[in-house]
Amino acid sequence: MTVTAKLDAPLLRTAFVLVLGPVLALLDTTIVGVGIGAIARDLNAPLAGVQWVSAGYLLAIAVVMPLSGWAAERFGARRAWIASVALFVTGSALCGLAWSVESLVAFRVLQGLGGGLVQPLGQSILVRAAGPERLGRTIAVTLLPITFAPVLGPVAGGVLVEHLDWRWMFLVNVPIGVATLLLAARHLPRDGRTGNGARLDARGLALLSPGLAALVHGFSEAGTAGFGGRAAVALAAGAALLAGYAAHASRTAAPLIDLRLFARRGFAVATANSFLQGATLYSSMLLLPLYYQHVHHADAFDAGLLLAPQALGTAVATLVAGRLADRTGPRALVLTGIALTLAGTVVFTQDAPGPLLVAALVVRGVGLGVATVPGMAAVYASVDRALVPRAAGAVNALNRVGGSLGTAVLAVVLQERLDAGPAPAAFAGAFWWAVGLSALTLLPAFLYPKGKS
């Protein structure tokens, strides 16, 4: 098939505006870790309490993400996206003005409620604007700046904390967010008819959102204290709530996330792959900076810079993968990407010299880019345009839960090995577990269609 539909100026403007919101939200996920110590000192709070500055933000994202499909249908994706960015900016400003750790956590929750809707709503707008012939290339364009968020977060956080104040980790979002809102008002495509009688599935919300939040919290607790105690209680509660939601959704005409979507083989395969890719990506975001800090004695600023080769590899690969995804089926691309990711990760299980580690990060980055673009395109190609908003909520929620699971598993493995032996050996063992997580993504990848559907 020859691709003739070009990425015209209106679509590129839409993509540029929509990517600004997720970049802000992702940066805020990674930037705060650098300033936790400074926040604790300034607000005279224990580190255990300050950790909720990050945990509250992540839990708020998990709670609100399932609402994206309903919000897009009820109010229009454009209006809902602008409102979400405005809420995120408001929360950022209030975080910068916080007077205690309790107020800071509350404002971070507000920030997360806005940030959690930005990515799924933005994806639904973009998928509809791009159409099937331009979907892969459009996703690739939007992924380019997002790939640098894990690199820029620690670097930007280090600069702001060292030269200004921890409050600027939040206040820096305000001018960028205001500019994003002005651009969105001008360039995002107008919503069609909305308010089509779609009622909020309140019972589903009461089951699904707390269930997802409990899982994310349980995995977070497991990452610091193992899978017993409070982590086990939270995970059991989350599983019970999600089981209740599944029973409820099977009897409801318009559930918050329609589980009947998973009866479609293409959607089920693509979302399973997204779940496992989330586990792989987020867990590596934990391991790689810690590896450079513990084994090579880099500070947070330098560790962020050392991850730049992976981001550069991903950036180059997404451009190529986006064009190929519009021409061919996803199976070969996703399998190739996974193989490259595995090859790049295996190097970190060895006592490798610095230049080889740089090359391995480039290979990892290329693999992530090659696997991610066709995988995301396959999710949205498998559903009708009317179902895109709810599909976006489902795939983003599963990706985030997968990320929490992968991070928790590797955090527990790493801590146990650090307690038992020297850092180089501990990280080598943890990276073998990362290799195993990456290998699991091969299972759904083999079920993708060979050709363009």
Side-chain angles (χ1 to χ4, degrees):
M1 167 182 166
T2 301
V3 178
T4 56
K6 296 182 178 180
L7 301 184
D8 53 24
L11 179 59
L12 288 174
R13 283 195 295 267
T14 298
F16 173 75
V17 173
L18 289 174
V19 83
L20 290 174
V23 166
L24 283 173
L26 285 171
L27 274 175
D28 231 56
T29 303
T30 56
I31 198 173
V32 173
V34 179
I36 288 292
I39 293 171
R41 289 191 300 272
D42 189 46
L43 297 180
N44 195 26
L47 280 175
V50 177
Q51 291 298 332
W52 279 97
V53 172
S54 294
Y57 180 77
L58 294 175
L59 290 177
I61 288 176
V63 165
V64 78
M65 201 171 273
L67 281 170
S68 60
W70 170 81
E73 294 171 3
R74 181 68 179 83
F75 304 106
R78 177 182 185 271
R79 294 189 192 95
W81 191 88
I82 290 174
S84 299
V85 174
L87 185 61
F88 177 85
V89 173
T90 301
S92 298
L94 292 171
C95 285
L97 301 173
W99 56 89
S100 66
V101 70
E102 292 80 11
S103 64
L104 180 57
V105 170
F107 296 146
R108 280 285 278 173
V109 169
L110 184 68
Q111 201 185 27
L113 293 176
L117 287 174
V118 168
Q119 191 159 340
L121 287 171
Q123 286 179 4
S124 66
I125 295 171
L126 198 61
V127 169
R128 289 181 168 182
E133 290 187 354
R134 303 184 293 182
L135 185 55
R137 286 167 291 157
T138 306
I139 288 175
V141 169
T142 60
L143 281 177
L144 282 176
I146 292 175
T147 59
F148 287 94
V151 177
L152 294 177
V155 173
V159 170
L160 292 171
V161 170
E162 182 176 351
H163 297 289
L164 293 173
D165 182 81
W166 64 264
R167 297 178 184 275
W168 281 98
M169 294 191 301
F170 306 109
L171 294 176
V172 72
N173 294 328
V174 176
I176 302 173
V178 170
T180 300
L181 291 171
L182 294 175
L183 290 169
R186 181 171 181 177
H187 294 300
L188 290 190
R190 298 284 174 181
D191 293 313
R193 293 186 60 187
T194 57
N196 58 355
R199 297 177 58 187
L200 176 63
D201 177 17
R203 182 174 297 176
L205 180 63
L207 292 167
L208 181 58
S209 288
L212 290 173
L215 283 185
V216 171
H217 178 58
F219 289 133
S220 177
E221 285 285 325
T224 57
F227 281 90
R230 289 182 297 181
V233 172
L235 292 173
L241 287 167
L242 292 183
Y245 176 79
H248 161 76
S250 66
R251 302 190 302 267
T252 303
L256 204 61
I257 289 179
D258 192 349
L259 300 184
R260 288 179 284 268
L261 286 171
F262 294 93
R264 305 173 183 226
R265 176 180 171 179
F267 185 80
V269 168
T271 49
N273 190 255
S274 177
F275 173 84
L276 292 171
Q277 282 185 336
T280 301
L281 176 62
Y282 287 100
S283 60
S284 68
M285 286 169 60
L286 167 78
L287 273 188
L288 286 168
L290 289 176
Y291 169 79
Y292 279 113
Q293 289 174 317
H294 284 76
V295 177
H296 294 272
H297 309 293
D299 57 24
F301 180 88
D302 290 335
L305 289 177
L306 287 167
L307 296 182
Q310 177 172 291
L312 290 171
T314 303
V316 173
T318 52
L319 292 176
V320 177
R323 183 168 294 275
L324 292 174
D326 285 336
R327 294 176 180 269
T328 186
R331 185 194 295 184
L333 287 172
V334 174
L335 288 174
T336 300
I338 294 170
L340 291 171
T341 304
L342 286 169
T345 308
V346 165
V347 174
F348 283 85
T349 66
Q350 309 300 312
D351 184 16
L356 183 56
L357 294 178
V358 171
L361 284 175
V362 173
V363 171
R364 264 186 59 87
V366 170
L368 291 170
V370 171
T372 301
V373 174
M376 287 182 63
V379 169
Y380 297 113
S382 65
V383 299
D384 301 329
R385 287 169 65 88
L387 297 175
V388 164
R390 293 184 183 263
V395 72
N396 278 277
L398 282 171
N399 182 265
R400 188 56 57 93
V401 173
S404 300
L405 170 60
T407 300
V409 168
L410 290 192
V412 170
V413 169
L414 178 61
Q415 188 59 59
E416 289 179 349
R417 291 176 180 269
L418 284 173
D419 291 341
F427 277 93
F431 274 113
W432 276 118
W433 277 77
V435 170
L437 281 178
S438 294
L440 285 177
T441 61
L442 290 167
L443 299 177
F446 275 111
L447 300 177
Y448 277 119
K450 289 183 178 179
K452 185 76 174 171
S453 57

